[in-house]
């Protein structure tokens, strides 16, 4: 199992190019199952989650190639049974459910279960699909879905935590092939949902309202192959922005979409960060000491839950007290115990972390638990005194393309031990 050895004390300096978005690529790759024709997807990041999804597509019958960030897929036929061994390893694979039902009229998929950031239910996915006429039943940890015909409906997809990203994706993809009009109320507005809708429109789907809480999808008889380039990864961008700030460095991010980062930029500016447009990117500097801010994670366009752990790392070395409330995945605080091992002063009250900024963190061996928590531990290691050893780095490789190489290019002292 790989680990990363990080020596603290270096200010990040230079330019870093942001890769394509994992959370946009995964549902878009699933959407290629909706047509028997060839699809070409560009700017796909080379991540283990992406390779999992490509393995699932090929096990379902698609012909898949992946080279230099470009995926070509051709699913001339699609098997309705998803490979259990792969699906149970990656919850996001649930987003093949909508396309398989639309294509095959039935599906069998293992229930995603939970993960370290909390329970990952799919009740809203199944409620939305049932509204379209796809009935589901659970048996032995598997979900069996059947539908004689998909018929458009008005569907409310909100849950107690707000909208659901992959739930919106699944219902939207199924609705592209339903008879008549589907209206989704309380749809997720994330840029990745919008990107999926743009790809489906290129395939011939009739969708309006993507990126808003209300989407309308007019079913069509056939979807054809299409080409598409994935949007930049706003969470990778945010992670490197925090890297620049936590090391009081000076970093230019290129290949990003600033409009996807409005909330994050606002919150970082309120800490005292200088974030300014520069030659096709954003330049992040910290002219003086930062100050603590409070924030709450919310569905887009609110502060992203996928940036919560990284902000905990930043606030743990920022003077003042910060209250960080997690409203999307209330248990998503595995990183706090590891940050404490590095000297952070933080206590958890319900779903709120109260962080008292300390003078410095100290390097220590720490355990990565989930994708974003691992990134937070690397960020903490960049500023801690001494050496930090981040174990179970496969978590990071799921969602960050060559993070050690990108950080080294910015001057970080970071080494991957195989
Ligand atoms: C997507 O997961 C992302 N993953 C997650 O990123 C991200 O944290 C999450 O959206 C929230 O933004 C991908 O896009 C591949 P949800 P998703 O359904 O769609 C509850 C990362 O680090 N819920 O929007 O699975 C759920 O429990 C990953 O890249 C139900 O109750 O998340 C959660 O509390 C981690 N019933 C909330 O809604 C359902 O049927 C939001 O979950 C579905 C969800």
């Amino acid at each position: 199992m790989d680990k990363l050895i990080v020596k603290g004390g270096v200010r990040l300096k230079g330019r870093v190019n942001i890769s394509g978005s994992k959370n946009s690529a995964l549902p878009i790759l699933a959407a290629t199952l909706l047509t028997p024709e060839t699809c070409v997807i560009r700017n796909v990041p080379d991540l283990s989650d992406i390779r999992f999804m490509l393995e699932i597509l090929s096990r379902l019958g698609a012909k898949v190639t992946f080279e230099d960030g470009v995926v070509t897929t051709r699913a001339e036929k699609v098997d309705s049974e998803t490979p259990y061994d792969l699906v149970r390893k990656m919850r996001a694979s649930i987003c093949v459910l909508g396309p398989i039902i639309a294509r095959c009229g039935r599906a069998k998929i293992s229930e995603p279960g939970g993960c370290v950031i909390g329970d990952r239910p799919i009740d809203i996915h199944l409620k939305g699909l049932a509204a379209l006429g796809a009935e589901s039943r659970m048996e032995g940890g598997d979900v069996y879905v059947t539908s004689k015909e998909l018929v458009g409906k008005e569907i409310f997809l909100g849950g107690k935590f707000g909208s659901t990203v992959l739930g919106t994706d699944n219902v939207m993809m199924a609705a592209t092939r339903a008879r008549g009009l589907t209206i989704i109320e309380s749809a997720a507005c994330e840029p990745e949902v919008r990107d999926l809708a743009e790809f489906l429109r290129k395939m011939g789907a009739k969708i309006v309202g993507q990126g808003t809480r209300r989407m309308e999808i007019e079913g069509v008889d056939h979807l054809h192959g299409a080409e598409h380039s994935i949007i930049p990864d706003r969470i990778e961008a945010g992670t490197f922005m925090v890297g620049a700030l936590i090391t009081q460095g000076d970093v230019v991010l290129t290949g990003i979409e600033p409009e996807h980062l409005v909330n994050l930029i606002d919150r970082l500016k309120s800490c005292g960060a200088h974030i300014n447009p520069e030659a096709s990117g954003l330049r992040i500097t910290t002219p003086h000491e930062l100050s603590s801010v409070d924030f709450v994670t919310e569905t887009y366009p609110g502060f992203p839950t996928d940036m919560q752990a990284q902000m905990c790392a930043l606030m743990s070395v920022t003077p003042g007290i910060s209250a960080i409330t997690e409203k999307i995945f209330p248990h998503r605080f595995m990183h706090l115990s590891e940050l404490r091992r590095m000297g952070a002063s933080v206590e958890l009250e319900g779903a709120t972390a109260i962080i008292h900024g300390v003078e410095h963190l100290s390097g220590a061996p720490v355990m990565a638990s989930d994708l974003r928590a691992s990134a937070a531990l690397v960020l903490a290691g960049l500023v801690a005194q001494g050496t930090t050893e981040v174990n179970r780095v496969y978590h990071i490789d799921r969602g960050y393309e060559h993070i050690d190489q990108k950080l080294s290019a910015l001057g970080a002292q970071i080494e991957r031990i195989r």
Side-chain angles (χ1 to χ4, degrees), residues 52-252:
F52 262 135
M53 180 56 83
L54 296 177
E55 171 67 18
I56 290 172
L57 298 187
S58 45
R59 295 267 287 273
L60 288 169
K63 300 256 179 311
V64 174
T65 67
F66 182 29
E67 209 158 320
D68 297 335
V70 180
V71 169
T72 57
T73 68
R74 184 183 178 97
E76 287 181 272
K77 58 164 187 40
V78 174
D79 187 348
S80 64
E81 296 216 355
T82 52
Y84 169 75
D85 56 321
L86 286 176
V87 167
R88 70 178 172 79
K89 284 185 194 157
M90 181 174 76
R91 263 149 305 287
S93 41
I94 193 69
C95 65
V96 300
L97 192 52
I100 292 175
I101 292 167
R103 189 81 189 269
C104 308
R106 68 188 181 291
K108 176 190 171 196
I109 190 166
S110 84
E111 225 206 313
C115 67
V116 284
I117 66 176
D119 197 13
R120 305 298 292 271
I122 56 169
D123 55 311
I124 305 174
H125 297 239
L126 299 179
K127 171 188 161 193
L129 293 170
L132 296 175
E135 293 307 326
S136 61
R137 65 181 170 79
M138 307 287 192
E139 197 177 310
D142 285 325
V143 185
Y144 294 81
V145 188
T146 51
S147 78
K148 277 185 280 313
E149 187 198 16
L150 293 174
V151 179
K153 276 283 184 322
E154 179 147 0
I155 304 169
F156 178 77
L157 280 189
K160 68 179 175 184
F161 297 101
S163 51
T164 157
V165 172
L166 293 181
T168 302
D169 292 350
N170 263 329
V171 174
M172 170 167 57
M173 288 188 278
T176 61
R177 295 297 318 283
R179 181 163 52 80
L181 179 66
T182 297
I183 294 171
I184 300 178
E185 295 289 358
S186 191
C189 306
E190 274 68 6
E192 296 76 27
V193 176
R194 215 162 54 210
D195 203 28
L196 172 62
E198 292 309 328
F199 175 58
L200 291 166
R201 284 155 57 95
K202 288 178 182 173
M203 295 173 81
K206 290 196 174 64
I207 301 172
V208 293
Q210 64 274 18
T212 74
R213 289 279 177 238
R214 176 188 164 94
M215 292 174 70
E216 297 191 9
I217 302 114
E218 182 68 42
V220 294
D221 291 338
H222 174 72
L223 292 174
H224 49 73
E227 305 212 358
H228 187 77
S229 190
I230 300 291
I231 56 171
D233 194 315
R234 63 192 168 100
I235 305 301
E236 186 195 20
T239 304
F240 276 96
M241 288 164 77
V242 172
L245 296 176
I246 204 168
T247 60
Q248 307 222 323
D250 180 345
V251 175
V252 175

Side-chain angles (χ1 to χ4, degrees), residues 194-314:
R194 215 162 54 210
D195 203 28
L196 172 62
E198 292 309 328
F199 175 58
L200 291 166
R201 284 155 57 95
K202 288 178 182 173
M203 295 173 81
K206 290 196 174 64
I207 301 172
V208 293
Q210 64 274 18
T212 74
R213 289 279 177 238
R214 176 188 164 94
M215 292 174 70
E216 297 191 9
I217 302 114
E218 182 68 42
V220 294
D221 291 338
H222 174 72
L223 292 174
H224 49 73
E227 305 212 358
H228 187 77
S229 190
I230 300 291
I231 56 171
D233 194 315
R234 63 192 168 100
I235 305 301
E236 186 195 20
T239 304
F240 276 96
M241 288 164 77
V242 172
L245 296 176
I246 204 168
T247 60
Q248 307 222 323
D250 180 345
V251 175
V252 175
L253 301 186
T254 57
I256 58 166
E257 186 51 75
E259 71 158 35
H260 297 160
L261 293 160
V262 169
N263 188 301
L264 183 62
I265 290 170
D266 172 68
R267 304 306 292 138
L268 293 178
K269 279 183 172 174
S270 60
C271 293
H274 280 196
I275 302 176
N276 299 300
E278 168 164 311
S280 77
L282 275 184
R283 183 175 180 190
I284 294 92
T285 52
T286 330
H288 46 73
E289 204 158 58
L290 295 175
S291 47
S292 294
V293 291
D294 297 343
F295 57 90
V296 178
T297 65
E298 295 169 307
T299 54
Y300 194 87
F303 189 86
T305 174
D306 292 347
M307 280 301 302
Q308 181 255 106
Q310 298 91 314
M311 283 304 277
C312 286
L314 180 61

